[in-house]
Amino acid sequence: MEHNILVIGGNGLVGKTIIRILKSRNPHVQIFVGGRKGGQTGNDLKIDVTNPGTFRVIQEKKIGLIILSVNDKDDHVLRFAIDNGIDYLDITKPTPDLVKAYAIAKNRKVQSRIVFSSGWMGGIVNGLVKTIADRTADILEVKLFVFYSVKDLAGESSAHFMAENVAKPFIRYENNRQVPIKHFLDSENFNFSFGIGNRVAYNFDVPDLYILNQIEKIPNVSVKMTYNSKFITWLLGAFQKVRIFNILSLKERRMIFGSSGKGDQSVFEIVVKTKNGAEKLSLRSSGGQAELTALSAVLHTEELLKNSHENSVYFSHQLHQPAALLEKLKAYETISIQGGL
């Protein structure tokens, strides 16, 4: 693979963080930044994901890997990467868009590595699940609990997804049965690590639900989230219960979910149940969710740079040996992990 890497959306919060971490760990790599407005240097490329005509410059610069960190709802970049044999890593897609893009890739002749990394925090949850249980076939249930701080410095894509989909049902899996549910309902108490303590957590849609059930064949999968503010968590649950989200405009819903702070920790916890009992892995990123997502994208990129994977379609956790992924995360200065192998 050419060591020319293009980060589309490289001027956004997560994109900039990917570039910073990637440069610091891989100084030999040539990095190009793709954005709708272009830039002042030869490494700033004018690329609009809604206009495939702007993609010609990707071939001109001999890009070997595209990292997509902006929403490409029509999958123009995915199709271009497949048609031109370019490696592709997408960290952006909510579950419905991921399912659609995966179907596109699986039904095309692929002559590069096409990687979907849209699970929680850059798709590392599914790899970490495998550090808790020796064999995926032994797993009866996976529960993911997310602690989200409204003070965290966050990009707008996840907030926009929540605003657009909060009133719509999504799917969790019970004994391989698809169960339609909505965000911020079905509360469950969970005792979070790292001094957070007991919190009420509510239904939340992330692509790991689909990946763990449909790809890894785990029969029971659920995800629940709580905010650092107990009042905000309660309020969102109350809004959903009385169907206030159904009557709010998209602009009003974006105002609710679109706030971003100056930085805070991000925490998630994975509970894996087998016939022998339950085990838990807890991860805290003191650098917040953008830092953790960007680091995950860089770790996936580094696996692709090794050229040890054949041309095919992957979910990002399939690039890694679980124990090695765990050690790389533990070695990063802003990450603390409890549990796992």
Side-chain angles (χ1 to χ4, degrees), residues 232-306:
I232 289 177
T233 306
W234 171 85
L235 189 64
L236 292 173
F239 272 28
Q240 188 70 286
K241 191 172 183 178
V242 298
R243 300 187 178 184
I244 288 179
F245 290 122
N246 296 63
I247 61 175
L248 294 176
S249 68
L250 177 59
K251 181 179 180 180
E252 290 168 330
R253 295 198 301 269
R254 282 185 173 176
M255 289 176 63
I256 292 173
F257 293 106
S259 61
S260 180
K262 296 182 178 180
D264 200 2
Q265 68 176 347
S266 176
V267 172
F268 67 77
E269 315 224 14
I270 308 166
V271 178
V272 174
K273 294 183 180 180
T274 67
K275 63 181 180 181
N276 296 319
E279 298 288 341
K280 182 174 76 169
L281 182 146
S282 308
L283 185 150
R284 175 178 63 187
S285 168
S286 61
Q289 65 166 343
E291 178 90 2
L292 182 54
T293 300
L295 172 64
S296 301
V298 170
L299 294 179
H300 308 329
T301 297
E302 290 173 347
E303 287 300 311
L304 292 173
L305 289 172
K306 293 177 183 178

Side-chain angles (χ1 to χ4, degrees), residues 154-168:
E156 66 177 17
S157 59
S158 59
H160 284 184
F161 169 75
M162 283 301 302
E164 292 167 5
N165 293 279
V166 66
K168 301 175 184 177

